[in-house]
Amino acid sequence: MGGGEHGAEGFRTKVWSMSGGPYCRPKHWRRNTAISMFGVFLICIPIAMKSAELEQRPHQPVRPTPSQLWCKNFVNKDY
């Protein structure tokens, strides 16, 4: 129908795009993914620690929440 190279399935086999086309397999993708995940954790862990440090709950929750384990407002663990 249109121009371009078509494969047996009827769609273009050679597609140029910035992301690499439909069968993108960049070089060292595992290493790049590991580096980016390390960067995400490197940024998120200090933010989570600061958030836990600043957390305050003025009222007792209706049921237990995970943040009660590190929130300073709940000194006694009677829940």
Side-chain angles (χ1 to χ4, degrees), residues 45-67:
I45 287 175
I47 291 173
M49 290 174 66
K50 187 65 175 177
S51 174
E53 179 185 322
L54 297 176
E55 181 177 9
Q56 293 182 0
R57 291 184 175 266
H59 304 290
Q60 182 81 13
V62 177
R63 56 186 168 270
T65 59
S67 67

Side-chain angles (χ1 to χ4, degrees), residues 8-61:
E9 293 86 18
F11 59 89
R12 292 174 60 173
T13 57
K14 292 185 179 180
V15 179
W16 183 91
S17 71
M18 291 180 70
S19 63
Y23 304 108
C24 180
R25 192 65 155 188
K27 220 176 194 183
H28 308 298
W29 69 272
R30 287 187 177 116
R31 183 199 65 190
N32 296 341
T33 303
I35 291 171
S36 60
M37 291 302 291
F38 178 73
V40 167
F41 285 119
L42 196 66
I43 291 171
C44 290
I45 287 175
I47 291 173
M49 290 174 66
K50 187 65 175 177
S51 174
E53 179 185 322
L54 297 176
E55 181 177 9
Q56 293 182 0
R57 291 184 175 266
H59 304 290
Q60 182 81 13

